[in-house]
Amino acid sequence: MSEEYKYVHEKKKHPKPTKTQEDLNAEKGIFNFTEINGFKLKQVEWTVPDQQTRKRRRSGFDKVRKAFLEELGTNHVEELVALGLTPAQIKQVKAGKNPNGYNVHHKHPIHGGGHNVFENLILMPIKPHDELHHKVMDPQVKNMQSGDSKMVWIPWSDDMVYHDPEKAMFNTKFVSFDQVKEDCAKLNSSEDGKKKEASIIPIGDTKTGFRTNAAILAKKSRSR
């Protein structure tokens, strides 16, 4: 009589990936860069709130995010265009909806004591957003529990709309030489005798006129 066959399913054990020196340094808050994806590293006190507080802030984020997006879609259109959003996506933003492929990011995350305020939020693409967490913040705080507190480096930007540093020099518009001359003339004349800031900043010339950085124009629109 043959022996009864028994099938035993064994899970394969996958070895944990070996940590590089860069990984080990990141856990200690040691980085070989001071800026990532256009965000400058800033040291803050990271205090993990209790679970109830975190849950309350996360549940309240939906309402704040909607109001934040409505603000961007109404008063930050030039920045949204510079970011690469289509007219349809900008319409979504104005309606308080998150466009596909983008995320409203907490610069100082709720898990570290951050709040749902406009100054702590920025609309940005998902890929660079995830890198801010995975490359900088997550390694430093992965073992922290409620009530724990320590100084942590976080990527910080004062902007409310992301500006891709790699695309900044290529995200351009062209203006005629006459437009530039007319705009520059404003620097020397005004009704109140004060010099006015030019709205067009030439950063290079081509056969068709001057090349103007869209990110610069967006930044100027925020300062008005």
Side-chain angles (χ1 to χ4, degrees), residues 120-212:
N120 193 37
L121 304 177
I122 183 171
L123 178 68
M124 61 186 302
I126 290 176
K127 184 177 183 294
H129 161 266
D130 289 349
E131 289 179 347
L132 300 184
H133 283 276
H134 298 159
K135 292 185 178 182
V136 180
M137 292 183 283
D138 290 354
Q140 298 178 82
V141 305
K142 63 179 181 179
N143 295 319
M144 294 182 68
Q145 304 295 325
S146 298
D148 290 349
S149 181
K150 72 174 183 178
M151 298 303 293
V152 167
W153 291 100
I154 65 171
W156 184 267
S157 169
D158 290 329
D159 295 324
M160 295 168 66
V161 177
Y162 178 70
H163 298 108
D164 188 338
E166 293 184 1
K167 293 182 179 179
M169 296 304 298
F170 302 98
N171 188 8
T172 61
K173 63 183 294 185
F174 289 89
V175 295
S176 69
F177 182 69
D178 288 338
Q179 283 178 284
V180 174
K181 287 196 300 182
E182 180 182 348
D183 189 70
C184 290
K186 296 177 182 178
L187 294 172
N188 300 316
S189 63
S190 63
E191 295 179 0
D192 56 8
K194 296 182 179 180
K195 289 185 177 181
K196 291 184 177 179
E197 185 180 8
S199 60
I200 298 173
I201 303 176
I203 61 172
D205 55 2
T206 68
K207 293 181 181 179
T208 57
F210 281 82
R211 185 162 58 91
T212 302

Side-chain angles (χ1 to χ4, degrees), residues 78-92:
E78 286 183 274
E79 294 170 77
L80 297 177
V81 172
L83 180 58
L85 268 66
T86 65
Q89 288 175 315
I90 293 175
K91 186 176 180 180
Q92 280 185 301

Side-chain angles (χ1 to χ4, degrees), residues 1 21 34 60 64 69-70 84-86 101 111 115 122 139 141 144 163 170 183 196 203 220-221 223:
M1 186 174 182
Q21 187 59 49
T34 59
V64 177
L69 290 169
E70 289 172 348
L85 268 66
T86 65
H111 183 265
H115 294 272
I122 183 171
V141 305
M144 294 182 68
H163 298 108
F170 302 98
D183 189 70
K196 291 184 177 179
I203 61 172
K220 290 170 66 60
S221 71
S223 64

Side-chain angles (χ1 to χ4, degrees), residues 91-103:
K91 186 176 180 180
Q92 280 185 301
V93 173
K94 191 173 183 179
K97 298 178 181 179
N98 209 69
N100 187 39
Y102 296 85
N103 190 29

